[in-house]
Amino acid sequence: MKRRFIAACAVAAVLSAAATGCVQDTSGQGQGPTSEAASARTGRESEPTRAEQLRISDATEVLTERCMKRAGFPYWTGTRLSLEESRSPGYVNDDVDWAAEHGYGSRIQEKADKARRANPNGTYRAGLSPQRRQAYDKALDGGRHATVLTAEITIPGGTGKISKRLGGCSAEAEKKLYGDPAAWFRADKAVTNLQPLYVPRITRDSKFTAALASWSRCMAAAGHRYPDPPAAQDAVARRAADLAPAEAFEAEKRVAVAEARCARASSLAAVARERETYYRGTLPDRYDELIDTHRRLEHDAYTRAAGITGPRA
């Protein structure tokens, strides 16, 4: 169950803007699992909403496009999903209306995948001569001589390192938004990989396990026998391979709607969010500065992004 919980967090980060939390708030506030009130008590910046994270991402694309044009290359910003499409069910979804419309988001994922495959930037780059392609890469991300950033992350049993190259217009865009791209990279990767420190405690928590058992009983009563939400999502994905697309999507929505209704009836989503907030709040003090830096830089980035691009509809 622990691995499933962490995997669901990773999926959520892919489908929507990356967040430190695993279980999204679908109360209509658009707020992450740590509320503004809780942030005020700790003296920290509140976590950005999903809409704010998307605005930072969109501003990054706009800044990259402007920079590439100055470097003499065209650059196309990515196709944007709507704000509604950009959310993910995460570990468990309790938004019945969203589930009735999108199921588990398979068609949204297909739309995003199609947009990535059709991205004209790749086609343009592939059509360049070797010399121009090298110049394009250098302009975009620094090419082979870009600065390599390294961040220490938490892994089961200790720590590890993750690296990325950053230069060119990518570095310029991040500098304009975050001020210090290296500090942002290290803080972001470290904070978003703190999950192994608290997820095992959530999955063993008596409140969480009781809510999960209640959810599973509710699902069984609705004709869907699954021990947990990821098991339901996995089964839906496997079954889709044997069905026509339209039939598969209707089956996906039926299970997703049942999951959402049971998540509300059992309070599983609410309990998971509350327990996640609680256990993240008990992380060792040595992570406080890292978390504070992460939130401050992201807050500053949003403030700058708001002056660059508008919100998603």
Side-chain angles (χ1 to χ4, degrees):
M1 182 165 62
K2 176 180 68 176
R3 289 193 296 271
R4 288 179 176 274
F5 201 107
I6 293 176
C9 299
V11 171
V14 170
L15 289 177
S16 62
T20 54
C22 305
V23 184
Q24 296 194 34
D25 185 353
T26 59
S27 62
Q29 300 300 314
Q31 192 66 29
T34 302
S35 67
E36 290 187 11
S39 297
R41 288 195 298 272
T42 62
R44 288 176 173 166
E45 298 281 1
S46 60
E47 289 186 11
T49 65
R50 185 185 319 113
E52 289 170 346
Q53 290 173 324
L54 290 171
R55 199 163 182 177
I56 295 171
S57 176
D58 294 343
T60 301
E61 285 282 281
V62 170
L63 289 172
T64 302
E65 177 188 27
R66 293 174 183 174
C67 177
M68 289 295 285
K69 285 184 176 179
R70 291 198 306 272
F73 294 100
Y75 183 86
W76 293 266
T77 58
T79 300
R80 298 178 182 178
L81 298 174
S82 69
L83 181 59
E84 179 181 355
E85 291 173 326
S86 297
R87 58 155 297 190
S88 159
Y91 176 76
V92 64
N93 174 41
D94 62 352
D95 187 330
V96 177
D97 291 339
W98 195 91
E101 178 72 19
H102 303 291
Y104 286 119
S106 64
R107 289 193 172 181
I108 296 172
Q109 185 63 64
E110 289 173 4
K111 179 179 177 180
D113 290 343
K114 183 178 180 180
R116 279 192 291 271
R117 290 193 297 270
N119 190 319
N121 292 307
T123 303
Y124 173 78
R125 180 185 180 279
L128 296 174
S129 68
Q131 294 79 10
R132 286 292 287 168
R133 190 178 306 139
Q134 185 176 6
Y136 177 92
D137 292 344
K138 183 176 180 180
L140 180 59
D141 60 14
R144 290 177 294 176
H145 302 294
T147 299
V148 177
L149 304 177
T150 303
E152 189 174 88
I153 62 172
T154 301
I155 58 176
T159 59
K161 290 184 177 181
I162 186 169
S163 301
K164 83 166 182 176
R165 296 190 310 173
L166 185 66
C169 291
S170 297
E172 179 180 308
E174 290 200 9
K175 183 174 178 58
K176 287 185 175 180
L177 287 171
Y178 297 101
D180 186 341
W184 166 246
F185 172 72
R186 295 186 182 105
D188 185 50
K189 294 307 177 187
V191 168
T192 55
N193 282 277
L194 289 176
Q195 293 164 0
L197 292 181
Y198 63 82
V199 165
R201 300 175 70 187
I202 297 173
T203 58
R204 294 193 301 265
D205 184 273
S206 59
K207 291 183 180 179
F208 176 82
T209 56
L212 181 60
S214 178
W215 177 89
S216 185
R217 289 193 297 271
C218 175
M219 288 290 283
H224 309 289
R225 295 185 177 278
Y226 302 110
D228 53 45
Q233 297 168 30
D234 290 346
V236 165
R238 290 194 303 271
R239 194 180 308 127
D242 300 323
L243 300 174
E247 187 180 1
F249 189 52
E250 289 303 314
E252 174 186 337
K253 289 192 292 185
R254 282 195 298 273
V255 178
V257 167
E259 173 183 309
R261 287 174 175 161
C262 288
R264 286 189 175 274
S266 65
S267 298
L268 177 58
V271 168
R273 284 192 292 268
E274 187 276 327
R275 291 288 82 191
E276 183 181 16
T277 298
Y278 173 78
Y279 284 114
R280 285 173 57 203
T282 64
L283 288 172
D285 292 344
R286 64 180 179 274
Y287 295 110
D288 286 351
E289 183 177 355
L290 187 66
I291 294 171
D292 289 342
T293 298
H294 184 269
R295 292 190 187 176
R296 174 178 55 79
L297 291 174
E298 197 162 30
H299 179 270
D300 291 347
Y302 173 72
T303 299
R304 294 164 184 146
I308 296 169
T309 188
R312 290 196 194 183

